[in-house]
Amino acid sequence: MPALKKSLLYFLLLCLSLVLTACSTVPITGRSQLSLVSPAQMQSMSYSQYDAFLKEHKVSTDRQKTEMVQRVGYRIQRAVERYFAAANMSSQLNGFQWEFNLIADDQVNAWAMPGGKVVVYEGILDVAQNETGLAVVMGHEIAHVVANHGAERMSQSLMAQMGGMALDLALHDSPAQTRALWLQAYGLGSQVGVILPYSRLHESEADRLGLIFMAMAGYDPAQAVGFWQRMSASSKNSNNLEFLSTHPSDATRIAKIKQTLPEARRYYKK
């Protein structure tokens, strides 16, 4: 067998081995996902980026709105922690340093990073309308985090662009390229906080988990339908809906949310 073919075969076998051994499971859905990056590594990079973002953006001085964001965030945080404890998965939240900040910006947007670092922009509060609407947004973003969607995208990038190299080795051998991959996994690039679109699979998964977590936190999950309908209506009248560039609001999504409501309602206690 020619040397080139042997090298290609070895590479493919290595990739197959990594796929078979480097997997984790998404909570609630049970889906297997590629995992070449440890939570500690993702959290470390997240915290430095989050701190940099806060230094470059103005935190809201509106006390009432800030308290609402933090109240909703902490309620969903506790719901997540209860769920993971009941499922004997609390270790998956090790190292989390939850933080919820409201940014003084009329952009309609919100996002979350590994380790529970969450940002909400003042502009999305008008669409949310109330605390329950805000819980739809924050539950969804926190679901992306606890489902390790960013780490999964980072792992896929390491596999595709760096041959499945471990993150610590990639950081040592190609620090600039690896940092770029991490930024791309969260869409941060040159504009920290501008999130690239998640896949349809990730979005659907975050919708489902987000409904369950908001329900466990005491918020009516049925209100998610109205929120996404308002987002859809707002998109026709505004050019400042950054949130919709990454979270498409369409009839299919709303239909799936309605299908998930019976499951979410089982967790709902007023």
Side-chain angles (χ1 to χ4, degrees):
M1 182 182 293
L4 181 59
K5 289 186 177 180
K6 284 185 177 180
S7 297
L8 178 59
L9 177 60
Y10 291 150
F11 174 74
L12 292 175
L13 289 174
L14 173 62
C15 291
L16 178 60
S17 176
L18 285 169
V19 170
L20 292 175
T21 59
C23 290
S24 60
T25 301
V26 179
I28 298 179
T29 70
R31 179 178 65 86
S32 294
Q33 59 185 172
L34 182 64
S35 181
L36 301 177
V37 189
S38 74
Q41 290 171 319
M42 293 298 289
Q43 289 167 14
S44 176
M45 299 180 79
S46 169
Y47 297 158
S48 63
Q49 289 298 322
Y50 192 79
D51 289 343
F53 173 84
L54 292 179
K55 290 177 181 178
E56 297 172 3
H57 295 77
K58 182 181 179 182
V59 175
S60 177
T61 56
D62 188 314
R63 181 176 177 180
Q64 183 176 8
K65 291 179 179 177
T66 297
E67 289 179 347
M68 180 173 68
V69 167
Q70 293 179 344
R71 181 168 58 253
V72 173
Y74 288 131
R75 286 177 63 172
I76 295 177
Q77 171 193 339
R78 290 193 291 271
V80 169
E81 291 171 344
R82 288 199 308 273
Y83 178 88
F84 276 69
N88 295 315
M89 298 189 304
S90 293
S91 61
Q92 293 189 24
L93 301 178
N94 286 347
F96 268 54
Q97 298 176 18
W98 296 92
E99 190 172 349
F100 311 98
N101 278 289
L102 178 65
I103 301 302
D105 191 317
D106 62 359
Q107 185 179 141
V108 180
N109 202 8
W111 47 267
M113 296 167 69
K117 300 298 187 181
V118 183
V119 155
V120 175
Y121 293 73
E122 286 182 336
I124 205 169
L125 297 182
D126 289 337
V127 182
Q129 291 188 348
N130 52 42
E131 195 166 315
T132 301
L134 180 59
V136 177
V137 177
M138 297 183 72
H140 178 93
E141 295 306 317
I142 289 171
H144 275 308
V145 170
V146 300
N148 295 315
H149 288 160
E152 184 176 3
R153 295 208 295 187
M154 180 69 181
S155 297
Q156 291 167 345
S157 295
L158 285 171
M159 178 68 75
Q161 299 185 38
M162 303 185 75
M165 186 182 296
L167 181 58
D168 52 356
L169 183 59
L171 283 169
H172 180 270
D173 291 351
S174 306
Q177 182 182 359
T178 306
R179 175 180 168 80
L181 291 180
W182 191 92
L183 291 173
Q184 290 171 15
Y186 285 90
L188 303 182
S190 61
Q191 300 182 59
V192 177
V194 179
I195 308 299
L196 287 176
Y198 280 102
S199 68
R200 285 280 184 172
L201 172 62
H202 285 172
E203 281 299 295
S204 180
E205 207 163 51
D207 282 341
R208 179 183 173 190
L209 271 63
L211 289 176
I212 289 173
F213 293 145
M214 70 174 289
M216 290 181 66
Y219 298 106
D220 181 5
Q223 298 304 308
V225 174
F227 168 79
W228 287 109
Q229 289 173 336
R230 292 193 298 274
M231 287 295 293
S232 182
S234 297
S235 68
K236 302 174 183 177
N237 304 312
S238 175
N239 295 319
N240 199 32
L241 286 173
E242 181 66 32
F243 194 72
L244 278 188
S245 69
T246 59
H247 302 74
S249 178
D250 56 24
T252 300
R253 177 185 212 139
I254 292 173
K256 287 183 177 180
I257 287 174
K258 289 180 178 179
Q259 292 173 2
T260 307
L261 285 177
E263 177 187 20
R265 285 194 183 100
R266 296 200 295 268
Y267 295 86
Y268 178 46
K269 294 182 180 180
K270 296 182 181 181

